[in-house]
Amino acid sequence: MTSPTLSIGEAVASLLRDGLPVRLEAYDGSSAGPPDADITLELVSERGLSYLLTAPGDLGMARAYVSGDLRVHGVHPGDPYDAMRLLQSHLRFRAPSPGEALTLVRGLVSGVGLGVLKPPPPPPQEHLPRWRRTVEGLRHSLSRDAEVIAHHYDVSNAFYELVLGPSMAYTCAVYPDADATLEQAQAEKFDLVCRKLGLRPGQRLLDVGCGWGGMVRHAARHYGVQALGVTLSREQASYAKEAIDRDGLGDLAEVRHSDYRDVLEGDFDAISSIGLTEHIGVKQYPAYFGFLRDRLRPRGRLLNHCITRHDNRPRETGAFIDRYVFPDGELTGSGTIITAAQDAGLEVVHEENLRHHYALTLRDWCRNLVGSWDAAVAEVGEGTARVWGLYMAGSRLAFERNEIQLHQVLAVRTDEDGRDGFPLRPSW
C-alpha cells in the first residue's frame, strides 16, 4: 500500500503536540502555524530540508540556518533571541511510533523527492566532527589545542572589535548596576579580579589564556604589577602587543603567543585564568591546577573564572557548539573545579556565581553585532556572522534558564605554616 503524499508543512504539523508557535513557510508552497505570527521560519530550499532530515536536532537546524537555507523573519540575524526563546518555550515535538515515522518519511519523500535524504556537504564554518579530530591528534594535546583555538579565536580581530567593543574582552562582564554599559562592566570585571587577587605595585601576575590582553593591561595600568599573559591565538597575541605599546605599558606588560604549559617562570604573586578552563578538558584539571599551583609563590593567589554547568554530571557538549563555536570545549560544575583545585594542593577561599551577568554580557554583544551587521558580514561573511548571532543568543537563553553558569573560584597556595595572607573578611 502506498503512503499518502505529504507536504513539508503537513509533515511538520503532524509531529507537534501543541502546534507551531511561529509561522512556517516552505519552498514546496506549504505552510503551518498561525498566519499572523510575529515570527516566520522560511525553509527556502531542498538543501535546507536535507540538513534537517539528515542531521536531526540542533546540528541540522544550525546547518540550515548558517547556510541561509532556513531564514527567520521577525528578528535580526545578529540577535535571534526572541525567536529562540519562543521556540524553546513553546515548541513541543511528540515521538511517533516506528511505523508512523516510516509512513511519515515515505509520504514526505513522495511529495518532495528522494534527494532530500542525501546529506549535503556541511557549511564551511563547520569544524571536523569529534571522531575525526581524535584521528588527527589526541584531545587536548598541545598541537590539537592550538588548532581548535585558532578555529575560534583567529576569525578576525576587526570582527571581534565590532562584537566585543573597545574592551576586546571576550568573557563575562560584571555589571555594577543595571544601567552600566558593557565597557563599564568589563572594566569592573577586570578590577574585581585584581581586587580578589590583592594586587599591589611590584608584584608579578601571570594571566593564562589572556585573550587580547585586557586583564594584563588593566593590572599593569591600575595596579602597577609586572604582568605576563599567554595565549594560543596568534591574532590575539599580535593585537595585545600592539595595545600594550599603544598604551605605553611595555615596561610592565608582556603577552606571548604560547601555550600556558610552556611558561617556565615561577614564583608569581598571582595567577588569573579568565575563560581558559573551558578549553582545558576535565581530565586535564589535575595537571592544570597542579601546574598553576607550582607557578605560585607561598601565599600566592589564583583566580579561576569560567563557564560551568548547573550540576557536576558528565555530558558531552552539544553538536552545534562543538562543531561551530568551541571545538573540544568541555564544561562541568563548580564543584568539580573546586575539588580539582583542592586536590592539587590549593586552598579555596571564595567562589561566586555570576551567571546573570553573563546573560547581560551576551545581550550587549548581540546588540553590538546587530548595530554593526553590514560591517561584520563584509569582514567575515554572512554565514560566520549568523553563527555568532545564533550562538550568543542561544547562550544568553542558557544562562537565563540556569542551564549554564559562570563561576569565579579564588584559591591560594598556603605557606608551610598554613598561612594564606588573607584578611579575616574579604577586602574586595
Side-chain angles (χ1 to χ4, degrees):
M1 186 175 68
T2 60
S3 301
T5 298
L6 289 177
S7 69
I8 296 171
E10 290 170 332
V12 170
S14 70
L15 291 173
L16 297 172
R17 292 179 181 175
D18 307 313
L20 266 177
V22 298
R23 180 70 169 172
L24 171 67
E25 296 179 352
Y27 67 91
D28 67 347
S30 64
S31 60
D36 59 347
D38 293 332
I39 294 172
T40 298
L41 306 182
E42 182 188 8
L43 188 61
V44 302
S45 70
E46 179 180 298
R47 183 176 65 174
L49 180 59
S50 296
Y51 279 139
L52 298 178
L53 292 177
T54 59
D58 66 340
L59 182 59
M61 289 283 288
R63 286 173 172 173
Y65 181 76
V66 170
S67 66
D69 295 303
L70 177 64
R71 296 193 172 271
V72 184
H73 303 283
V75 295
H76 194 283
D79 188 8
Y81 169 82
D82 288 337
M84 298 181 74
R85 182 180 62 176
L86 184 63
L87 290 170
Q88 285 196 20
S89 298
H90 300 288
L91 192 63
R92 297 288 182 269
F93 286 98
R94 65 180 184 83
S97 66
E100 186 182 4
L102 181 59
T103 300
L104 184 65
V105 171
R106 285 175 175 172
L108 186 58
V109 167
S110 177
V112 298
L114 190 61
V116 297
L117 298 181
K118 180 181 180 182
Q125 292 80 12
E126 184 171 319
H127 198 62
L128 293 173
R130 191 178 288 116
W131 68 268
R132 285 190 60 186
R133 281 177 251 148
T134 302
V135 169
E136 298 185 3
L138 293 176
R139 195 174 190 181
H140 299 300
S141 63
L142 272 73
S143 60
R144 182 163 156 181
D145 278 353
E147 197 278 330
V148 297
I149 289 297
H151 171 84
H152 186 76
Y153 292 101
D154 288 350
V155 175
S156 159
N157 283 340
F159 173 76
Y160 276 107
E161 284 188 279
L162 294 172
V163 175
L164 304 180
S167 69
M168 286 294 277
Y170 186 32
T171 46
C172 175
V174 176
Y175 289 74
D177 56 69
D179 297 325
T181 66
L182 175 62
E183 293 306 306
Q184 289 170 336
Q186 290 292 10
E188 174 61 19
K189 181 265 302 295
F190 288 133
D191 207 70
L192 177 62
V193 173
C194 291
R195 298 196 305 269
K196 286 182 175 180
L197 290 174
L199 296 183
R200 300 186 304 277
Q203 289 187 328
R204 297 172 62 238
L205 167 72
L206 171 63
D207 185 36
V208 293
C210 69
W212 290 272
M215 176 64 191
V216 167
R217 288 182 286 127
H218 186 96
R221 180 188 299 112
H222 297 285
Y223 288 83
V225 301
Q226 291 282 341
L228 168 63
V230 292
T231 173
L232 271 175
S233 167
R234 190 178 302 276
E235 290 290 322
Q236 288 182 335
S238 175
Y239 181 98
K241 291 174 184 177
E242 292 178 4
I244 287 170
D245 291 340
R246 184 178 64 246
D247 294 347
L249 296 171
D251 58 332
L252 290 175
E254 177 190 358
V255 167
R256 297 175 188 167
H257 176 226
S258 168
D259 192 290
Y260 78 93
R261 289 165 286 194
D262 291 331
V263 174
L264 301 178
E265 297 94 328
D267 209 31
F268 287 97
D269 298 282
I271 298 176
S272 52
S273 177
I274 306 174
L276 174 63
T277 317
E278 299 91 329
H279 302 289
I280 293 297
V282 177
K283 291 182 179 179
Q284 309 303 317
Y285 283 2
Y288 165 72
F289 283 107
F291 181 92
L292 298 184
R293 179 195 178 277
D294 291 345
R295 294 300 176 276
L296 287 170
R297 65 163 179 80
R299 302 197 207 182
R301 301 182 186 183
L302 165 66
L303 190 288
N304 197 87
H305 166 123
C306 73
I307 302 171
T308 56
R309 296 198 183 279
H310 66 282
D311 60 41
N312 293 276
R313 302 183 185 96
R315 62 173 70 85
E316 289 285 359
T317 304
F320 167 66
I321 293 294
D322 184 64
R323 300 277 191 97
Y324 284 87
V325 185
F326 293 114
D328 288 350
E330 293 182 65
L331 300 181
T332 187
S334 59
T336 302
I337 291 170
I338 290 172
T339 298
Q342 291 172 329
D343 288 349
L346 292 161
E347 179 187 13
V348 173
V349 297
H350 186 267
E351 71 88 26
E352 183 175 7
N353 183 2
L354 298 169
R355 75 174 175 90
H356 295 294
H357 293 263
Y358 217 153
L360 296 175
T361 306
L362 288 154
R363 175 203 65 187
D364 288 346
W365 286 343
C366 279
R367 286 177 179 174
N368 284 347
L369 181 55
V370 170
S372 56
W373 181 254
D374 290 343
V377 169
E379 181 66 26
V380 298
E382 184 172 353
T384 298
R386 280 173 168 265
V387 167
W388 280 80
L390 186 64
Y391 134 66
M392 292 192 299
S395 296
R396 175 185 171 186
L397 268 174
F399 280 107
E400 289 178 346
R401 292 169 176 263
N402 195 27
E403 296 168 2
I404 48 178
Q405 303 174 346
L406 188 290
H407 279 265
Q408 286 190 349
V409 175
L410 180 63
V412 61
R413 176 179 179 173
T414 57
D415 65 19
E416 293 181 354
D417 296 322
R419 293 173 296 188
D420 58 23
F422 279 88
L424 289 177
R425 296 298 301 156
S427 58
W428 55 86

